[in-house]
Amino acid sequence: MARIGFVGLGVMGGPMAGHLLKCGNSVKVFARTPSKAMSLVSQGAIAVDGIPDLVKDTDAVFLCVTRSEDVEECLGALVPHATPGTLFVDHSTIAPDAAKRLHSDLESVGLAFVDAPVTGGSMGAQKGQLTIFCGGKREAFERALPLMSAYAKRAEYVGGPGAGQTMKLANQIAVGGSLLALCESLAFAEKAGLDLAQTRDVLASGAAGSWAFDNYGPKILARDWSPGFSVKNQRKDFGYTIHAAEELGAAVPGTRLVDRLLAELDGQGHGEWTTAALFDVLVRSDPDSWK
Amino acid sequence: MARIGFVGLGVMGGPMAGHLLKCGNSVKVFARTPSKAMSLVSQGAIAVDGIPDLVKDTDAVFLCVTRSEDVEECLGALVPHATPGTLFVDHSTIAPDAAKRLHSDLESVGLAFVDAPVTGGSMGAQKGQLTIFCGGKREAFERALPLMSAYAKRAEYVGGPGAGQTMKLANQIAVGGSLLALCESLAFAEKAGLDLAQTRDVLASGAAGSWAFDNYGPKILARDWSPGFSVKNQRKDFGYTIHAAEELGAAVPGTRLVDRLLAELDGQGHGEWTTAALFDVLVRSDPDSWK
């Protein structure tokens, strides 16, 4: 059993901290919004008043926040109070460059770090069925693995510092393309007067089939744009992707296109909608503006 | 048992005619390239010298050729010799508008017609596991269904004249987007120095997963650009898609992008390569030209 600190109790981090508790670990939690910690406290977590308290007498600290700056800010508050040897695991999706800097900063003061972004959505977090892409030193990954197994169906070591984030961006490129495939085909079917439920069903069963068809298809049929994974967070990840692609000299025209389409929703104040609302953009837009 | 004529014995039509034979039907075949008919003759098919001979004493004629013009030319040669009531089933992927005209032409001389493009690839044809999208009169579909079941895992009535072709175009939009998702994510991973086999494997298991990841992924790892479904045929279908989208006022920016990327291969004389070679375009291209 480990003594764990957990920062970031949102739709992903909340259930993950719950799984760590269920596995018998001692878990201290901190949330900027104290109400987010309440259900975890009822499950046995210890709420602390400030980030520094999280790291006292703690073997490992997990983070699940949003942006590079959020992770940098949290670690900036935690690191001065950490005992050498403490393990830090970051489940946020951030820029690979930022993750590399953090690896180097933490290593220089004797702390272990794993960049470990996750995929599988809020449902995967609730069911403890996330996929985790891990970068850093292999020893650090191996320390983190038994703890992460509380909520992972698959946690994979993919390379050195930042490699977990890089793999996550590759994943987001494919997720974006797959979303476009789904939304563009259904928007075409809608304009052509095909039965949309039948179209989703019959396309999903063949060479067009995908996780997106199975999981986002039903949301489109119901015009249910509640998140799910929000437009704003998808665009945050695309921002990191496009920046990394520029550094690497990689062509990401599909990601750029999906980002431009989602920017329409963002611009209309729908940044909190699920990304499947890209269907709505395509159905309502002037086709001549997307040639 | 039915008396069937079959035109077009390529990688799709050849195995389909073979399945019709195995189910005990009498099958007459015609191929412009006589050698293509030979293996079917050894399975019991009757080779005829000209298209008109196919339709004599025949209950149903199946076509599996390439372009709208090919179907129009074949039907132009067949129809004058057909007994009223003969059923025509077209498995080619052609323009929905052309299919609508053919429905109307054949109906006017008392012939039944089903537009019935297929998906599932050469492997699906060989295994008799194709998905078939059927448009036309429901009675005609119901006559065709028991015959098509020789090679279909799923044959679905999707609407009136041309609806099968329209559904196939919706399918190709999704297939194209899915191909882009796969190739762009793997090309990014390649530039970033990730292990490509691991990337394919780990992305396939999560929210980025798709038929393309499972079936085209291994070809990319092997840099095996043998068809499969060729760049040229995919672009033929995209041509119909983009034209239909313009008529319908549907936005298909993803299809346009994938078509432009595949045009690179076509322009370099690689029109016969499999579409998974889009990976190669992305890896070798100047990223600034795809912004």
Side-chain angles (χ1 to χ4, degrees):
Chain A
M1 293 314 96
R3 298 168 304 167
I4 293 172
F6 207 108
V7 190
L9 304 175
V11 287
M12 302 300 289
M16 290 159 85
H19 288 292
L20 287 168
L21 276 168
K22 270 177 233 139
C23 291
N25 299 290
S26 141
V27 181
K28 289 196 278 194
V29 295
F30 174 77
R32 287 185 203 163
T33 319
S35 62
K36 285 194 179 171
M38 281 175 59
S39 87
L40 284 161
V41 168
S42 74
Q43 294 168 59
I46 303 152
V48 299
D49 293 330
I51 284 191
D53 293 333
L54 268 189
V55 80
K56 277 187 205 147
D57 304 315
T58 298
D59 307 308
V61 178
F62 289 76
L63 291 88
C64 193
V65 293
T66 308
R67 298 177 167 274
S68 304
E69 309 86 89
D70 303 324
V71 178
E72 283 158 358
E73 187 191 329
C74 287
L75 286 175
L78 286 161
V79 161
H81 306 276
T83 314
T86 305
L87 172 67
F88 287 82
V89 178
D90 178 25
H91 287 313
S92 325
T93 295
I94 67 170
D97 282 354
K100 279 182 203 163
R101 280 195 304 273
L102 293 168
H103 273 277
S104 155
D105 291 352
L106 269 69
E107 191 180 11
S108 70
V109 292
L111 301 172
F113 186 57
V114 183
D115 59 291
V118 304
T119 179
S122 54
M123 200 57 81
Q126 284 163 35
K127 292 185 181 164
Q129 292 285 307
L130 295 168
T131 295
I132 312 182
F133 311 122
C134 302
K137 289 201 169 163
R138 196 180 277 275
E139 312 86 88
F141 164 71
E142 279 165 7
R143 280 176 66 196
L145 185 57
L147 299 171
M148 296 189 297
S149 67
Y151 43 76
K153 75 169 176 184
R154 183 167 183 170
E156 190 132 337
Y157 181 74
V158 299
Q165 297 296 350
T166 303
M167 185 65 84
K168 176 68 188 276
L169 299 187
N171 186 72
Q172 297 308 71
I173 292 170
V175 163
S178 205
L179 176 75
L180 179 64
L182 169 69
C183 294
E184 185 167 310
S185 61
L186 291 189
F188 175 88
E190 167 94 351
K191 295 269 185 184
L194 294 172
D195 180 286
L196 219 55
Q198 185 183 36
T199 302
R200 193 219 65 86
D201 187 54
V202 71
L203 265 51
S205 75
S210 67
W211 187 97
F213 259 88
D214 293 341
N215 290 273
Y216 287 141
K219 289 190 81 104
I220 292 174
L221 296 181
R223 265 74 166 175
D224 168 15
W225 310 137
S226 66
F229 190 59
S230 72
V231 166
K232 216 169 64 180
N233 278 333
Q234 180 76 76
R235 293 199 66 213
K236 176 205 72 153
D237 294 358
F238 282 163
Y240 297 142
T241 305
I242 291 166
H243 181 76
E246 279 176 354
E247 304 264 300
L248 294 164
V252 289
T255 302
R256 288 175 190 276
L257 171 59
V258 179
D259 188 53
R260 284 196 297 273
L261 287 160
L262 292 179
E264 296 280 306
L265 289 169
D266 227 353
Q268 291 155 14
H270 300 312
E272 298 302 331
W273 281 7
T274 183
T275 55
L278 194 151
F279 168 83
D280 196 56
V281 177
L282 288 169
V283 165
R284 288 189 295 104
S285 72
D286 172 9
D288 289 336
S289 58
W290 295 106
K291 275 188 179 167
Chain B
M1 295 313 98
R3 298 167 304 168
I4 293 171
F6 207 108
V7 191
L9 304 175
V11 288
M12 301 300 290
M16 290 159 85
H19 287 292
L20 287 169
L21 275 169
K22 270 177 232 139
C23 290
N25 298 291
S26 142
V27 181
K28 289 195 279 192
V29 294
F30 174 78
R32 287 185 204 163
T33 320
S35 63
K36 285 193 178 171
M38 281 174 58
S39 87
L40 284 161
V41 168
S42 73
Q43 292 168 61
I46 303 153
V48 300
D49 292 330
I51 284 191
D53 292 334
L54 269 188
V55 80
K56 277 186 205 147
D57 304 316
T58 297
D59 306 308
V61 177
F62 288 77
L63 291 88
C64 194
V65 293
T66 308
R67 297 177 168 276
S68 303
E69 309 85 87
D70 303 324
V71 178
E72 283 158 358
E73 187 190 327
C74 287
L75 286 176
L78 286 160
V79 162
H81 305 276
T83 314
T86 304
L87 172 68
F88 287 81
V89 178
D90 178 26
H91 287 314
S92 325
T93 296
I94 67 170
D97 282 355
K100 278 183 204 162
R101 280 196 304 275
L102 292 167
H103 273 277
S104 154
D105 292 351
L106 269 69
E107 191 181 11
S108 70
V109 293
L111 301 172
F113 186 57
V114 183
D115 60 291
V118 304
T119 180
S122 55
M123 200 57 82
Q126 283 162 36
K127 291 185 180 164
Q129 291 287 306
L130 295 168
T131 295
I132 313 182
F133 310 122
C134 303
K137 290 201 168 163
R138 195 180 277 274
E139 312 86 89
F141 164 71
E142 278 166 6
R143 279 176 65 195
L145 185 56
L147 299 170
M148 297 189 298
S149 67
Y151 42 76
K153 76 168 175 183
R154 183 167 184 171
E156 190 132 337
Y157 181 74
V158 298
Q165 298 296 349
T166 303
M167 184 65 83
K168 175 67 187 277
L169 299 187
N171 186 73
Q172 297 306 72
I173 291 170
V175 163
S178 205
L179 176 75
L180 179 64
L182 169 70
C183 294
E184 187 167 310
S185 62
L186 291 189
F188 175 88
E190 167 93 352
K191 295 269 186 184
L194 295 172
D195 181 286
L196 218 56
Q198 186 184 33
T199 304
R200 192 219 67 84
D201 187 53
V202 73
L203 265 51
S205 75
S210 67
W211 187 98
F213 259 87
D214 293 341
N215 290 272
Y216 286 141
K219 291 191 80 105
I220 292 174
L221 297 181
R223 266 72 166 176
D224 168 13
W225 311 137
S226 65
F229 190 59
S230 72
V231 167
K232 216 169 64 180
N233 278 332
Q234 180 76 76
R235 295 198 66 214
K236 176 204 73 154
D237 294 358
F238 282 163
Y240 296 142
T241 305
I242 291 167
H243 181 77
E246 280 176 354
E247 305 263 300
L248 293 164
V252 288
T255 302
R256 289 176 189 275
L257 171 59
V258 178
D259 189 54
R260 284 195 297 273
L261 288 161
L262 292 178
E264 296 280 305
L265 289 169
D266 227 353
Q268 292 155 13
H270 300 314
E272 298 302 331
W273 281 7
T274 183
T275 55
L278 194 151
F279 169 83
D280 196 57
V281 176
L282 288 169
V283 166
R284 288 189 295 103
S285 73
D286 172 9
D288 289 336
S289 58
W290 295 106
K291 275 186 179 168

